Amino acid sequence: TQSTWEDPSSLKAWYLDDETSKAAYRTSSLKPGRKLDSPAVKLSQLRELGIIYYRINLNDFSVVNQIVKERQYKHTDEIKISQTCKDEQFLDKWFVEHCNEDEQVRLITDGTCYLDVRSKQDTWIRLHLQPGDLIVIASGLYHRGTLDEDDYCAMFRIFRDAQRWAPLYRSEKRTETQSSRVQYLKTLKKGNVATDLGFK
């Protein structure tokens, strides 16, 4: 399988260095933070974790509509994020490690941003999302988001149930016992979360 940054049309992902991995939102959070001498991150590895990637033509939403129908998503919204468009509180919260009860879909329509997801070894993998990148995030998978140094991102968000969209923060003890998190860990041990969720 080709590593994700050798193909310019493919999702770019890498292991995060110690400085950028820190929990506090800071200037270094906006930098690439690629860990030196770390192995390449492959799309197959991301699928095993429960990150499903699609490359979307933004002039043709037929693939998006098909995903929405097949996965029975009901709610959508679009947000524009920058240091000025969103308050600091939003940016701070977005960077706090959390999971969700339901699958989450993110489609980047303009600008760029980072999404960090936990590997099987509980280290951070950073995804650099660009226009046309659509990812599905499995419920129960710890992740966080941040702008990059270009400071702007427009994002189409899709989810099943508005009530189950609220973040479950890792810092809260109850999160590890939530059914979505417990089920995710069971599925992760089987080997491939994406396959178990029914993604081909």
Side-chain angles (χ1 to χ4, degrees):
T1 304
Q2 193 174 40
S3 69
T4 59
W5 58 77
E6 287 174 353
D7 179 357
S9 67
S10 188
L11 179 65
K12 293 174 173 59
W14 56 84
Y15 287 96
L16 213 51
D17 64 24
D18 293 340
E19 179 62 28
T20 320
S21 294
K22 291 179 179 177
Y25 183 65
R26 61 185 80 190
T27 304
S28 61
S29 308
L30 311 179
K31 297 183 182 300
R34 184 176 293 173
K35 188 174 183 179
L36 297 176
D37 301 321
S38 60
V41 177
K42 299 175 182 177
L43 288 174
S44 58
Q45 289 174 266
L46 295 175
R47 286 181 57 86
E48 289 174 4
L49 296 174
I51 294 290
I52 300 93
Y53 173 69
Y54 297 87
R55 183 69 188 163
I56 302 297
N57 179 345
L58 293 176
N59 295 315
D60 179 6
F61 265 55
S62 58
V63 174
V64 179
N65 293 334
Q66 182 181 348
I67 295 169
V68 168
K69 183 178 179 181
E70 289 178 356
R71 306 301 293 180
Q72 299 181 327
Y73 300 130
K74 299 183 179 72
H75 302 275
T76 63
D77 71 3
E78 188 169 9
I79 60 170
K80 295 179 180 180
I81 311 164
S82 74
Q83 300 288 348
T84 51
C85 292
K86 284 286 181 182
D87 58 37
E88 285 296 329
Q89 190 176 26
F90 174 88
L91 295 171
D92 286 341
K93 285 184 177 180
W94 193 28
F95 198 66
V96 177
E97 184 173 1
H98 64 281
C99 62
N100 299 89
E101 289 186 81
D102 269 348
E103 283 176 16
Q104 306 284 300
V105 177
R106 300 288 181 270
L107 170 61
I108 306 305
T109 56
D110 194 15
T112 51
C113 68
Y114 293 127
L115 179 80
D116 298 340
V117 300
R118 285 292 185 183
S119 71
K120 289 182 178 180
Q121 294 74 36
D122 206 31
T123 57
W124 284 117
I125 293 173
R126 171 155 284 189
L127 285 57
H128 194 205
L129 303 179
Q130 305 178 61
D133 285 344
L134 182 149
I135 58 166
V136 181
I137 307 168
S139 63
L141 168 60
Y142 284 132
H143 61 281
R144 64 184 186 183
T146 179
L147 293 165
D148 60 18
E149 291 177 296
D150 289 339
D151 189 34
Y152 178 73
C153 181
M155 182 187 302
F156 196 60
R157 304 187 295 186
I158 311 170
F159 42 99
R160 283 197 180 122
D161 188 333
Q163 301 303 315
R164 292 164 61 86
W165 185 55
L168 302 171
Y169 294 110
R170 188 172 188 174
S171 58
E172 298 176 4
K173 290 183 179 179
R174 66 186 183 92
T175 299
E176 281 297 311
T177 60
Q178 290 286 326
S179 59
S180 56
R181 178 63 183 166
V182 171
Q183 183 58 43
Y184 173 77
L185 291 174
K186 287 181 180 177
T187 308
L188 188 64
K189 285 182 180 179
K190 292 181 184 178
N192 194 308
V193 175
T195 300
D196 203 79
L197 291 175
F199 287 95
K200 296 178 181 177

